[in-house]
């Protein structure tokens, strides 16, 4: 019996792409780097990883880029986001079924809390954990922190996410994983083939339908 449903934030619970992409564009322009590629691929992984992988930066410059990103994102673009339609009703439905809801995200916990508070989601969530200020926690660590806070075992927990990073972390936790293809990462069922997904949902409505009958 599932007692805890954990959601990734960016691309799963909320569409935060507008603010993140504007912040990435700012960084790339500030550092005079190419910004002609699809910037949505930066969303999801740790920000330093994205700048190293997609902008080709070395460790030192990736840290510089990440620092600029965090500053402009939190000070200017954080609230350029929206909750996916149906998500608030989904959270209420889960609580009606006595299932706890939480956030396990690689977004910094400090501005995850600001964002969720701004959009009125804090009171609908039972546990919230994000990346630490030093970036030492893995996504698997974050999932386990949520489980520990809620006193839930692996078999009682399910993780919902839109990227390979979510799927891999869930496998390592190890907890059941539901992939969503409406976010920033997975686009088709074939994208999820190497991961053990108990369900693949293309819309928040289909995700709600699956979780309504969760056992």
């Amino acid at each position: 019996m599932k007692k805890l449903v954990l959601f990734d934030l960016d691309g799963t619970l909320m569409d935060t792409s507008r603010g993140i992409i504007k912040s990435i564009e700012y960084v790339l322009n500030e550092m005079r780097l190419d910004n002609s590629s699809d910037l949505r691929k930066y969303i999801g992984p740790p920000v330093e990883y994205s700048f190293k992988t997609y902008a080709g930066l070395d460790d030192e410059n990736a840290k510089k880029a990440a620092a600029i990103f965090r500053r402009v994102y939190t000070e200017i673009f954080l609230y350029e986001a929206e909750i996916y339609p149906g998500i608030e009703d989904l959270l209420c439905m889960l609580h009606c079924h006595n299932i706890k809801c939480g956030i396990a995200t690689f977004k910094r916990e400090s501005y995850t809390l600001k964002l969720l508070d701004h959009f009125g989601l804090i009171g609908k969530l039972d546990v919230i954990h994000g990346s630490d200020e030093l970036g030492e926690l893995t996504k698997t660590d974050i999932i386990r922190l949520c489980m520990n806070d809620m006193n839930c075992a692996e078999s009682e927990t399910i993780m919902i996410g839109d990227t390979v990073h979510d799927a891999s972390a869930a496998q390592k936790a190890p907890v059941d994983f539901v992939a969503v293809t409406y976010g920033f990462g997975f686009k088709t069922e074939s994208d999820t083939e190497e991961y053990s997904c108990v369900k693949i949902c293309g819309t928040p409505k289909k995700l709600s339908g699956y979780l309504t009958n969760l056992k």
Side-chain angles (χ1 to χ4, degrees):
M1 180 71 182
K2 300 303 180 188
K3 296 181 179 179
L4 175 63
V5 175
L6 295 176
F7 296 88
D8 175 55
L9 180 57
D10 299 319
T12 302
L13 208 70
M14 297 184 68
D15 182 354
T16 53
S17 59
R18 193 165 64 249
I20 294 174
I21 288 174
K22 284 184 178 181
S23 301
I24 293 166
E25 285 178 329
Y26 184 101
V27 175
L28 296 177
N29 289 332
E30 179 82 4
M31 299 184 70
R32 299 183 179 181
L33 299 167
D34 176 46
N35 66 357
S36 61
S37 63
D38 180 10
L39 300 185
R40 289 172 66 90
K41 63 190 177 185
Y42 282 76
I43 306 173
V47 65
E48 286 184 27
Y49 170 92
S50 290
F51 282 117
K52 285 192 285 188
T53 302
Y54 305 122
L57 298 183
D58 58 24
D59 288 348
E60 181 180 352
N61 282 304
K63 288 180 180 178
K64 179 181 177 182
I68 298 171
F69 171 86
R70 292 181 181 117
R71 176 175 57 80
V72 299
Y73 183 57
T74 55
E75 294 179 1
I76 305 173
F77 300 121
L78 179 63
Y79 301 129
E80 294 202 27
E82 59 186 1
I83 304 167
Y84 284 114
I87 289 296
E88 291 181 273
D89 290 339
L90 170 57
L91 296 177
C92 291
M93 179 276 294
L94 289 171
H95 280 136
C96 287
H97 286 75
N98 296 316
I99 296 174
K100 301 294 185 182
C101 305
I103 295 287
T105 177
F106 224 99
K107 186 187 286 293
R108 282 284 179 92
E109 187 168 309
S110 55
Y111 46 79
T112 291
L113 293 170
K114 290 180 182 179
L115 185 65
L116 294 171
D117 183 55
H118 178 82
F119 282 92
L121 289 177
I122 287 281
K124 296 179 171 65
L125 297 160
D126 301 287
V127 61
I128 301 165
H129 279 295
S131 176
D132 58 309
E133 297 301 314
L134 297 177
E136 294 179 344
L137 293 174
T138 66
K139 186 65 177 273
T140 301
D141 293 333
I142 293 167
I143 292 172
R144 288 173 177 160
L145 281 173
C146 292
M147 292 164 55
N148 289 340
D149 282 1
M150 294 291 97
N151 195 29
C152 287
E154 290 91 343
S155 62
E156 299 170 325
T157 304
I158 190 166
M159 177 73 197
I160 318 293
D162 69 304
T163 71
V164 296
H165 306 281
D166 302 319
S168 177
Q171 282 188 342
K172 293 173 184 175
V175 298
D176 284 346
F177 179 70
V178 172
V180 299
T181 57
Y182 57 79
F184 309 139
F186 300 127
K187 294 304 177 188
T188 65
E189 288 194 19
S190 62
D191 293 337
T192 71
E193 285 179 352
E194 64 180 283
Y195 302 99
S196 300
C197 305
V198 296
K199 185 68 176 178
I200 301 165
C201 298
T203 65
K205 184 176 181 179
K206 290 182 179 179
L207 175 62
S208 181
Y210 172 73
L211 294 178
T212 298
N213 300 304
L214 193 62
K215 299 296 183 182

